[in-house]
Amino acid sequence: PAAADLARSLLVMVAQSSCVLVKECAKAAGCLDRVFVVGGFGGNALVRSVYAQQLSRLGGRAIFCRHSFFLGALGSLAHSEALGIHVVDNEDDVWGVEDGDVEAEFERIHGTPPDGASLI
């Protein structure tokens, strides 16, 4: 097989696999009838097609938005707020975590980073 065929097959396989994870997350959240696909996926016609078909087969519905990166940022902000992370503009015009530092908030939510890992 040609390299392009292998790359296409791999892309389809990864998209199908991620649809299974998306379906389970949406099912747990009770929103399988309206799954908003955000990020870089919307720009690829093949991935859009795979997502739409696979989610439909799994009982869901994929919705692709023109301003998906903006919606992804809003979702991330809402999730952070739900976790109790409040991002504010402090006196020095630097974005940070209110009443604490980023490392402490990361460790509070995710645990201690692996050896050698650091937050930027």
Side-chain angles (χ1 to χ4, degrees):
D5 294 332
L6 291 174
R8 184 182 194 283
S9 297
L10 181 61
L11 179 61
V12 169
M13 183 181 71
V14 169
Q16 288 174 334
S17 297
S18 66
C19 278
V20 173
L21 295 173
V22 167
K23 180 236 176 194
E24 290 303 317
C25 290
K27 186 177 172 184
C31 63
L32 189 56
D33 59 329
R34 60 195 184 287
V35 176
F36 290 93
V37 182
V38 298
F41 299 110
N44 186 303
L46 177 61
V47 173
R48 274 196 319 266
S49 173
V50 169
Y51 260 77
Q53 290 173 4
Q54 286 300 113
L55 281 174
S56 177
R57 288 182 186 142
L58 295 171
R61 179 174 166 226
I63 300 171
F64 299 91
C65 301
R66 181 171 298 174
H67 301 290
S68 63
F69 289 106
F70 176 71
L71 290 175
L74 286 179
S76 178
L77 179 62
H79 183 69
S80 296
E81 289 289 323
L83 291 174
I85 302 171
H86 304 286
V87 180
V88 296
D89 195 4
N90 66 22
E91 299 170 355
D92 300 324
D93 291 325
V94 176
W95 287 87
V97 178
E98 185 177 25
D99 297 324
D101 61 13
V102 173
E103 289 82 6
E105 282 295 310
F106 181 89
E107 289 183 17
R108 181 180 71 83
I109 295 167
H110 302 289
T112 306
D115 290 337
S118 62
L119 300 174
I120 56 170

